[in-house]
């Protein structure tokens, strides 16, 4: 419909659509909290601390903020929605296996980067900002643990849907199949880096910013190689699934467990980074000749 729009026009449209959806999500969340508070005889403010409501709001906000803009943009900017969302290519299962394996091998490396990121200290003139950042991080950790730490198997399965499946689908369609595709011109790897930074910033968890950039770039790289959103969705899902499962089994985040011993994590991180790089290069080699992503311009 509007496939003649240039990059700036498409980015502006995506930003406007996302802003509208964000406002809708806030209205839906507030209205839902009011209803939930009335039914449970509590206050609206307290409702956002209840795990059951947080899970429900997580699903709704993810679908409204990420999935809807992706679908709308694919409809506006491409004559074929499946083509616009990287759904028109067949899945190469060897490539899928390489991508999923890379998401496992990178865990020790991202755990080490997380430790470095947590040591971030701003100058004295920015102590107020640093304190605000740490408060946001602590609050996010409390909410996350309220949702994830459980000994109920059915609740664990529900958490997989809420925190692994739904985000993997909606965020990949938004960030990789829409945003990254819009900004991709003749430099798709640069587009993957830019998208990864925006992807990490969107989560508003500053002390997990760097490892999330790494994971975001890996997901973007998978799209550059395979031109298939199913691969990055599966990889994203696996990453979140591992975290949810670790909380269910041990009551903690697996990356924290891995990086408890800094001396060990340094050596393991080097091996992890090397092995992950090798797997990604293998993924590139299996797909670059077929798709030639660096030789053509991607148009949404």
């Amino acid at each position: 419909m509007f496939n003649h729009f240039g990059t700036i026009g498409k980015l502006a449209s995506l930003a406007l659509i996302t802003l509208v959806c964000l406002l809708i999500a806030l209205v839906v969340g507030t209205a839902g909290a009011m209803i939930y508070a009335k039914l449970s005889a509590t206050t609206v403010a307290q409702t956002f601390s209840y795990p059951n409501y947080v899970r429900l709001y997580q699903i709704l906000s993810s679908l409204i903020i990420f999935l809807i803009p992706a679908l709308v943009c694919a409809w506006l900017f491409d004559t074929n929605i499946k083509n616009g969302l990287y759904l028109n290519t067949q899945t190469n299962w060897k490539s899928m296996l390489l991508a999923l394996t890379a998401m496992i091998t990178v865990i020790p490396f991202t755990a080490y980067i997380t430790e470095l990121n947590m040591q971030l200290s701003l100058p004295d003139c920015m102590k107020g900002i640093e304190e605000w950042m740490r408060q946001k991080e602590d609050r996010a950790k409390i909410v996350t643990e309220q949702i994830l730490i459980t000994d109920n198997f059915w609740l664990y399965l529900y958490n997989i849907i809420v925190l692994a499946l739904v985000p993997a689908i909606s965020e990949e369609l938004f960030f990789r199949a829409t945003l990254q595709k819009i900004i991709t011109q003749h430099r798709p790897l640069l587009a993957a880096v830019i998208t990864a930074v925006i992807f990490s910033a969107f989560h508003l968890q500053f002390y997990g910013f760097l490892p999330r950039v790494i994971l975001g770039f890996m997901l973007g790289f998978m799209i550059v190689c395979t031109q298939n959103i199913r691969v990055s969705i599966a990889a994203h899902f696996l990453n979140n699934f591992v975290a949810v499962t670790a909380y269910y089994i041990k009551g903690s985040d697996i990356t924290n467990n891995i990086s408890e011993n800094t001396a060990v994590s340094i050596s393991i991180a080097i091996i992890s980074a090397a092995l992950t790089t090798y797997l990604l290069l293998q993924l590139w080699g299996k797909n670059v000749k077929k798709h030639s992503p660096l030789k053509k311009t991607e148009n949404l």
Side-chain angles (χ1 to χ4, degrees):
M1 186 179 297
F2 296 101
N3 52 3
H4 61 281
F5 274 23
T7 300
I8 300 300
K10 291 177 180 178
L11 285 175
S13 300
L14 175 61
L16 179 60
I17 294 168
T18 304
L19 178 60
V20 171
C21 288
L22 178 61
L23 294 175
I24 293 173
L26 291 174
V27 171
V28 170
T30 303
M34 294 174 64
I35 296 172
Y36 192 92
K38 187 174 182 179
L39 294 175
S40 57
T42 185
T43 66
V44 173
Q46 291 174 328
T47 297
F48 285 98
S49 298
Y50 286 119
N52 286 336
Y53 182 74
V54 173
R55 290 187 183 95
L56 177 60
Y57 182 63
Q58 176 73 23
I59 292 177
L60 292 174
S61 60
S62 185
L63 294 176
I64 295 172
I65 297 173
F66 298 123
L67 182 60
I68 291 178
L71 295 174
V72 171
C73 284
W75 176 68
L76 289 176
F77 302 142
D78 203 289
T79 55
N80 187 306
I81 292 181
K82 291 181 67 176
N83 178 65
L85 296 175
Y86 288 123
L87 288 168
N88 61 328
T89 55
Q90 288 187 335
T91 301
N92 182 315
W93 293 105
K94 290 183 178 179
S95 296
M96 178 73 79
L97 181 60
L98 283 170
L100 295 180
T101 304
M103 294 305 290
I104 296 297
T105 60
V106 80
I107 289 175
F109 179 65
T110 55
Y112 179 68
I113 297 300
T114 298
E115 287 297 305
L116 295 180
N117 201 161
M118 289 294 292
Q119 297 172 17
L120 173 66
S121 180
L122 298 179
D124 291 339
C125 60
M126 302 178 69
K127 286 298 180 184
I129 297 177
E130 182 175 355
E131 182 64 26
W132 175 75
M133 289 166 60
R134 291 197 179 276
Q135 288 176 356
K136 290 282 291 183
E137 197 75 20
D138 292 342
R139 176 58 184 167
K141 183 178 180 180
I142 291 173
V143 173
T144 299
E145 291 181 348
Q146 284 179 335
I147 296 175
L148 287 176
I149 297 179
T150 178
D151 57 2
N152 186 312
F153 178 74
W154 298 109
L155 202 53
Y156 158 69
L157 294 181
Y158 185 29
N159 283 338
I160 290 176
I161 296 173
V162 174
L163 298 174
L165 182 60
V166 173
I169 295 173
S170 58
E171 291 180 13
E172 287 310 299
L173 289 175
F174 180 89
F175 288 102
R176 253 61 65 174
T178 305
L179 178 60
Q180 182 172 319
K181 195 171 187 180
I182 288 175
I183 61 180
T184 294
Q185 293 295 325
H186 298 287
R187 297 184 179 180
L189 294 182
L190 178 59
V193 172
I194 295 172
T195 304
V197 172
I198 297 173
F199 167 74
S200 185
F202 235 98
H203 286 76
L204 293 177
Q205 290 179 279
F206 308 100
Y207 292 97
F209 182 81
L210 293 179
R212 194 170 282 109
V213 168
I214 293 171
L215 294 173
F217 172 74
M218 288 179 62
L219 295 169
F221 183 83
M222 292 170 190
I223 285 293
V224 172
C225 292
T226 66
Q227 304 288 290
N228 190 322
I229 195 64
R230 299 178 190 89
V231 174
S232 67
I233 287 176
H236 193 150
F237 170 80
L238 178 61
N239 176 74
N240 292 8
F241 172 81
V242 169
V244 172
T245 302
Y247 269 101
Y248 176 67
I249 295 174
K250 295 186 176 182
S252 61
D253 187 346
I254 193 171
T255 56
N256 288 333
N257 290 332
I258 291 175
S259 57
E260 283 177 356
N261 189 326
T262 305
V264 174
S265 69
I266 292 174
S267 59
I268 294 177
I270 295 173
I271 298 173
S272 168
L275 183 54
T276 303
T277 301
Y278 171 77
L279 291 169
L280 293 177
L281 289 176
Q282 287 294 306
L283 181 66
W284 175 272
K286 284 186 176 298
N287 293 275
V288 67
K289 291 181 180 179
K290 180 179 179 181
H291 298 296
S292 300
L294 292 180
K295 296 180 181 180
K296 65 180 182 179
T297 300
E298 292 292 337
N299 293 312
L300 186 64

